Amino acid sequence: MYTKVTKSGGRQYLQLVEGYRNKEGKVRHRVVANLGRLEDLNPAKLDPLINGLNRAIGRSDNTALPVEIESSRAYGNVFALHELWKGLGFDRALGRAMRSGRRKIEGEALVRAMVFNRLCDPTSKLGCLRWLDTVAMPDMPAKVEHQHLLRAMDALMDNVDRVEAELAKQIRPLLDRDLTMVFYDLTTVRIHGEGKVEQDIRAFGMNKETGGIARQFVLGVVQTAEGLPLMHTVHPGNVAETKTLQAMLSTVLERFPIERVILVADRGLLSLDNIDALTRLAEQGGRTLEFILALPARRYSDLVETFKNMTFEDGLAEDRFAGHRLIVAHDPERAVEQGDRRRARIAELEAMAEKMTEKIKVQDEGKVTRGRRASDRGAYSRFTRAVAEAEMTRFLKADLYADDFSWSLDDDAIADAELFDGKLALITNAPDLSPADAVARYKGLADIERGFRVLKSDIEIAPVHHRLPDRIRAHAMICFLALVLYRVMRMRLKAKGHSASPRTALDLLERIQQHVARIGPATKTTLTRQQPEQLDLFDALNLKTPN
C-alpha cells in the first residue's frame, strides 16, 4: 500500500493505492481512498492520518512543529540507586519509621536524595539542592528547599530508634543466623565550627587522618565478613575506644538474632575489662559470643618469655594469655624489614650524637667551628628531642646528670624489640578456630578500613559543618546508608565477576540521561540509548533497566 498522485482535468489528487494480483496472476492496482486535491492538503489534515498509522506500529507521532529540548538530566545513576534502595526495602523502612513524625514532610524521599547525593556528587546540603537540579530523581517532591533537607534530618533523629530498628529488619535476611563474623572498628571525623552547644559531641582529640589534634567526632562501624555494614555508632571526639565496645556489641545482639557471633576488633579496642565484659555477655541469652582481638603493643612486654619459648610452624604458634588462647603469627620478611629500619634509625641518631660530641670537643680545644657554638646542655636537648620524635627512647638514652654530653644504647631493649618484629598477637576464646583461620579472620578487618576510606573519599563524610549534635548524627546516618548501598553494589559486582568499582559504575550510568522535549503543545520524555557496557552493569547489579 502506497500513496500516488494522479492528474485529472488539470488538477492533482492524492490517492491511497493498493497493489494486488488478479486471477491470472498479473499485478493490478486499485484505489483504496481518495485523500483530496493536492493543493488543498496541509499538515493539519494529513497529520491525524499519519499519526494514526505511526501509533499502530508503535512509532512517534509525525509533526511539522519544531522540537525543543527543555532539559537533559542525569538519570541512569539515580535510577540504579533507587532500584537498589527499593530492593533492600529501605523505602518501606524509612517510610514506616518516619510516617508518624511531627514534621509534615516527605522524609523518606528527602533522606534518599541526600544519601544518593553522597554517592554521586558529595557536597553540602545547599550543594545537594543544586545537584537535584541536574538529575531526574524518581519519586521526588516537586519543590525541595534547604529547610526541607534540614527538617528531614531532624525528623530522622526524632525517630532514630524506630529508623534503626526498621533498617535492621531489612538487613537481617542477608545474614547467616548460625554464624556471623562481626568486624568492628572506629575512625575519627573532622568537624568545623567554634563555640559550644548543649550535649556537644564535637571534641578535640587525636585525629587519625591528620595525625594531630583536631575537633572531631568518633564514628564506629560494624560489618560482616562479606563486607555488609550492619550498624554505626557516633561518639564524642575524645572518647576512649575501649569504652565503645560493650554498648555496641549489646546493640548488635539485640538487633540481629544470630546464634553465634565472633567479634573481630583491632588492638585499640582491647582491654582486660572488655574481655571480662565480653565473657559475661557470652553467658547471657543462651547465645554464643566469641571474639578475636589483637593484643596491643603495650602488652607485648608481658609476653617476652612466652615469645622466647614459642616454636612456630608455618609461621604460627599458640599459647595462653589472660585465660584465653593466644595465637601468634610470624612474618620473617616483615621482621627483617622492621629490624633493618630500627637499626638504620638508631645509626642515624648515633651519628648525630657523634657529630655533636666532636664539635664540642673541637671547641673545647680552642678551635673555631662554623655555625652556632655547641654546648653539652644544647646537645642533650637536641638529641633527646630527635630520639623522642623517632620513637626510640626505649633504646637510646642521654645521661642527664653527666658533666659532658653522653648517651647509651640499651642492647637488651633492642633484643626484646627484635623478638616482637614481624609478629601479630591475637587473643580469642573461639575453641574451634585453627590458628590459621583466626589470623585470616583478623586480617579481614582490613576491609572495614577500606570502608572508612570510602566514607572519607568517595562519600566525603568529612569535614562536617553541622554544629547541633542531632544534625551531626543525622549526617553520620546518611553517610552510613550511602556506605551500605556502596557495599551492596560492590558485593553484587564482585559476585558477577565485573571489574568495575561502584564509583566507576555510577559514573558510567550517569551518562544515561533523561531528555524532556516540547513539540508544539505536547511534551515528550525520552532516554539516552543505553550502551552494552551500561546494560552489563544493570545485569551485574541485578537491577532492571530504565525504560
PDB file of all heavy atoms in Angstrom, residues 81-96:
ATOM      1  N   LEU A  81      20.376   3.474  41.751  1.00  0.00           N
ATOM      2  CA  LEU A  81      20.374   3.580  43.209  1.00  0.00           C
ATOM      3  C   LEU A  81      18.957   3.467  43.766  1.00  0.00           C
ATOM      4  O   LEU A  81      18.743   2.859  44.816  1.00  0.00           O
ATOM      5  CB  LEU A  81      21.014   4.907  43.631  1.00  0.00           C
ATOM      6  CG  LEU A  81      22.527   5.027  43.423  1.00  0.00           C
ATOM      7  CD1 LEU A  81      22.995   6.455  43.694  1.00  0.00           C
ATOM      8  CD2 LEU A  81      23.283   4.041  44.289  1.00  0.00           C
ATOM      9  N   HIS A  82      17.985   4.036  43.049  1.00  0.00           N
ATOM     10  CA  HIS A  82      16.604   3.971  43.517  1.00  0.00           C
ATOM     11  C   HIS A  82      16.087   2.535  43.492  1.00  0.00           C
ATOM     12  O   HIS A  82      15.398   2.093  44.428  1.00  0.00           O
ATOM     13  CB  HIS A  82      15.728   4.874  42.642  1.00  0.00           C
ATOM     14  CG  HIS A  82      14.333   5.028  43.150  1.00  0.00           C
ATOM     15  ND1 HIS A  82      13.226   4.676  42.421  1.00  0.00           N
ATOM     16  CD2 HIS A  82      13.855   5.482  44.343  1.00  0.00           C
ATOM     17  CE1 HIS A  82      12.133   4.913  43.117  1.00  0.00           C
ATOM     18  NE2 HIS A  82      12.487   5.400  44.290  1.00  0.00           N
ATOM     19  N   GLU A  83      16.430   1.792  42.437  1.00  0.00           N
ATOM     20  CA  GLU A  83      16.011   0.395  42.369  1.00  0.00           C
ATOM     21  C   GLU A  83      16.686  -0.429  43.470  1.00  0.00           C
ATOM     22  O   GLU A  83      16.070  -1.310  44.075  1.00  0.00           O
ATOM     23  CB  GLU A  83      16.362  -0.181  40.990  1.00  0.00           C
ATOM     24  CG  GLU A  83      15.520   0.373  39.859  1.00  0.00           C
ATOM     25  CD  GLU A  83      14.036   0.096  40.061  1.00  0.00           C
ATOM     26  OE1 GLU A  83      13.678  -1.077  40.296  1.00  0.00           O
ATOM     27  OE2 GLU A  83      13.250   1.056  40.008  1.00  0.00           O
ATOM     28  N   LEU A  84      17.953  -0.135  43.738  1.00  0.00           N
ATOM     29  CA  LEU A  84      18.662  -0.833  44.808  1.00  0.00           C
ATOM     30  C   LEU A  84      18.052  -0.485  46.170  1.00  0.00           C
ATOM     31  O   LEU A  84      17.857  -1.358  47.028  1.00  0.00           O
ATOM     32  CB  LEU A  84      20.146  -0.441  44.770  1.00  0.00           C
ATOM     33  CG  LEU A  84      21.082  -1.157  45.734  1.00  0.00           C
ATOM     34  CD1 LEU A  84      21.077  -2.653  45.481  1.00  0.00           C
ATOM     35  CD2 LEU A  84      22.500  -0.595  45.599  1.00  0.00           C
ATOM     36  N   TRP A  85      17.747   0.778  46.371  1.00  0.00           N
ATOM     37  CA  TRP A  85      17.126   1.274  47.610  1.00  0.00           C
ATOM     38  C   TRP A  85      15.807   0.550  47.869  1.00  0.00           C
ATOM     39  O   TRP A  85      15.543   0.068  48.977  1.00  0.00           O
ATOM     40  CB  TRP A  85      16.919   2.777  47.462  1.00  0.00           C
ATOM     41  CG  TRP A  85      16.311   3.512  48.599  1.00  0.00           C
ATOM     42  CD1 TRP A  85      14.983   3.785  48.783  1.00  0.00           C
ATOM     43  CD2 TRP A  85      16.991   4.141  49.699  1.00  0.00           C
ATOM     44  NE1 TRP A  85      14.796   4.541  49.917  1.00  0.00           N
ATOM     45  CE2 TRP A  85      16.006   4.775  50.501  1.00  0.00           C
ATOM     46  CE3 TRP A  85      18.322   4.247  50.074  1.00  0.00           C
ATOM     47  CZ2 TRP A  85      16.326   5.488  51.653  1.00  0.00           C
ATOM     48  CZ3 TRP A  85      18.648   4.959  51.231  1.00  0.00           C
ATOM     49  CH2 TRP A  85      17.664   5.563  51.992  1.00  0.00           C
ATOM     50  N   LYS A  86      14.974   0.456  46.823  1.00  0.00           N
ATOM     51  CA  LYS A  86      13.691  -0.239  46.960  1.00  0.00           C
ATOM     52  C   LYS A  86      13.892  -1.734  47.169  1.00  0.00           C
ATOM     53  O   LYS A  86      13.180  -2.358  47.961  1.00  0.00           O
ATOM     54  CB  LYS A  86      12.827  -0.005  45.721  1.00  0.00           C
ATOM     55  CG  LYS A  86      12.331   1.415  45.552  1.00  0.00           C
ATOM     56  CD  LYS A  86      11.243   1.501  44.496  1.00  0.00           C
ATOM     57  CE  LYS A  86      11.745   1.016  43.146  1.00  0.00           C
ATOM     58  NZ  LYS A  86      10.695   1.114  42.094  1.00  0.00           N
ATOM     59  N   GLY A  87      14.865  -2.315  46.447  1.00  0.00           N
ATOM     60  CA  GLY A  87      15.114  -3.740  46.576  1.00  0.00           C
ATOM     61  C   GLY A  87      15.539  -4.141  47.979  1.00  0.00           C
ATOM     62  O   GLY A  87      15.187  -5.227  48.458  1.00  0.00           O
ATOM     63  N   LEU A  88      16.275  -3.263  48.647  1.00  0.00           N
ATOM     64  CA  LEU A  88      16.691  -3.532  50.022  1.00  0.00           C
ATOM     65  C   LEU A  88      15.587  -3.215  51.032  1.00  0.00           C
ATOM     66  O   LEU A  88      15.728  -3.521  52.219  1.00  0.00           O
ATOM     67  CB  LEU A  88      17.944  -2.709  50.363  1.00  0.00           C
ATOM     68  CG  LEU A  88      19.227  -3.087  49.607  1.00  0.00           C
ATOM     69  CD1 LEU A  88      20.335  -2.081  49.898  1.00  0.00           C
ATOM     70  CD2 LEU A  88      19.677  -4.493  49.960  1.00  0.00           C
ATOM     71  N   GLY A  89      14.518  -2.603  50.560  1.00  0.00           N
ATOM     72  CA  GLY A  89      13.401  -2.279  51.455  1.00  0.00           C
ATOM     73  C   GLY A  89      13.613  -1.039  52.276  1.00  0.00           C
ATOM     74  O   GLY A  89      12.852  -0.777  53.229  1.00  0.00           O
ATOM     75  N   PHE A  90      14.594  -0.218  51.924  1.00  0.00           N
ATOM     76  CA  PHE A  90      14.858   0.975  52.709  1.00  0.00           C
ATOM     77  C   PHE A  90      13.744   2.007  52.544  1.00  0.00           C
ATOM     78  O   PHE A  90      13.516   2.824  53.452  1.00  0.00           O
ATOM     79  CB  PHE A  90      16.197   1.596  52.317  1.00  0.00           C
ATOM     80  CG  PHE A  90      17.390   0.817  52.803  1.00  0.00           C
ATOM     81  CD1 PHE A  90      18.681   1.221  52.490  1.00  0.00           C
ATOM     82  CD2 PHE A  90      17.234  -0.330  53.568  1.00  0.00           C
ATOM     83  CE1 PHE A  90      19.790   0.505  52.949  1.00  0.00           C
ATOM     84  CE2 PHE A  90      18.329  -1.048  54.020  1.00  0.00           C
ATOM     85  CZ  PHE A  90      19.606  -0.626  53.708  1.00  0.00           C
ATOM     86  N   ASP A  91      13.065   2.016  51.391  1.00  0.00           N
ATOM     87  CA  ASP A  91      11.953   2.957  51.212  1.00  0.00           C
ATOM     88  C   ASP A  91      10.834   2.646  52.192  1.00  0.00           C
ATOM     89  O   ASP A  91      10.275   3.542  52.834  1.00  0.00           O
ATOM     90  CB  ASP A  91      11.458   2.921  49.768  1.00  0.00           C
ATOM     91  CG  ASP A  91      11.020   1.525  49.331  1.00  0.00           C
ATOM     92  OD1 ASP A  91      11.488   0.532  49.934  1.00  0.00           O
ATOM     93  OD2 ASP A  91      10.206   1.421  48.391  1.00  0.00           O
ATOM     94  N   ARG A  92      10.506   1.352  52.344  1.00  0.00           N
ATOM     95  CA  ARG A  92       9.456   0.969  53.288  1.00  0.00           C
ATOM     96  C   ARG A  92       9.900   1.200  54.730  1.00  0.00           C
ATOM     97  O   ARG A  92       9.116   1.656  55.569  1.00  0.00           O
ATOM     98  CB  ARG A  92       9.088  -0.508  53.088  1.00  0.00           C
ATOM     99  CG  ARG A  92       8.532  -0.821  51.705  1.00  0.00           C
ATOM    100  CD  ARG A  92       8.029  -2.250  51.639  1.00  0.00           C
ATOM    101  NE  ARG A  92       9.070  -3.219  51.948  1.00  0.00           N
ATOM    102  CZ  ARG A  92       9.925  -3.696  51.050  1.00  0.00           C
ATOM    103  NH1 ARG A  92       9.860  -3.266  49.785  1.00  0.00           N
ATOM    104  NH2 ARG A  92      10.846  -4.584  51.386  1.00  0.00           N
ATOM    105  N   ALA A  93      11.168   0.878  55.011  1.00  0.00           N
ATOM    106  CA  ALA A  93      11.666   1.022  56.382  1.00  0.00           C
ATOM    107  C   ALA A  93      11.608   2.480  56.835  1.00  0.00           C
ATOM    108  O   ALA A  93      11.087   2.792  57.917  1.00  0.00           O
ATOM    109  CB  ALA A  93      13.096   0.494  56.475  1.00  0.00           C
ATOM    110  N   LEU A  94      12.127   3.388  56.012  1.00  0.00           N
ATOM    111  CA  LEU A  94      12.113   4.801  56.388  1.00  0.00           C
ATOM    112  C   LEU A  94      10.695   5.363  56.345  1.00  0.00           C
ATOM    113  O   LEU A  94      10.331   6.205  57.168  1.00  0.00           O
ATOM    114  CB  LEU A  94      13.023   5.597  55.462  1.00  0.00           C
ATOM    115  CG  LEU A  94      14.525   5.435  55.715  1.00  0.00           C
ATOM    116  CD1 LEU A  94      15.326   6.131  54.635  1.00  0.00           C
ATOM    117  CD2 LEU A  94      14.915   5.978  57.073  1.00  0.00           C
ATOM    118  N   GLY A  95       9.898   4.891  55.377  1.00  0.00           N
ATOM    119  CA  GLY A  95       8.519   5.360  55.305  1.00  0.00           C
ATOM    120  C   GLY A  95       7.743   5.015  56.556  1.00  0.00           C
ATOM    121  O   GLY A  95       7.009   5.850  57.102  1.00  0.00           O
ATOM    122  N   ARG A  96       7.904   3.770  57.037  1.00  0.00           N
ATOM    123  CA  ARG A  96       7.195   3.365  58.259  1.00  0.00           C
ATOM    124  C   ARG A  96       7.721   4.115  59.478  1.00  0.00           C
ATOM    125  O   ARG A  96       6.953   4.546  60.340  1.00  0.00           O
ATOM    126  CB  ARG A  96       7.355   1.855  58.481  1.00  0.00           C
ATOM    127  CG  ARG A  96       6.562   0.993  57.525  1.00  0.00           C
ATOM    128  CD  ARG A  96       6.547  -0.448  57.999  1.00  0.00           C
ATOM    129  NE  ARG A  96       7.882  -1.022  58.043  1.00  0.00           N
ATOM    130  CZ  ARG A  96       8.402  -1.763  57.071  1.00  0.00           C
ATOM    131  NH1 ARG A  96       7.698  -2.004  55.969  1.00  0.00           N
ATOM    132  NH2 ARG A  96       9.627  -2.272  57.181  1.00  0.00           N
TER     133      ARG A  96
END
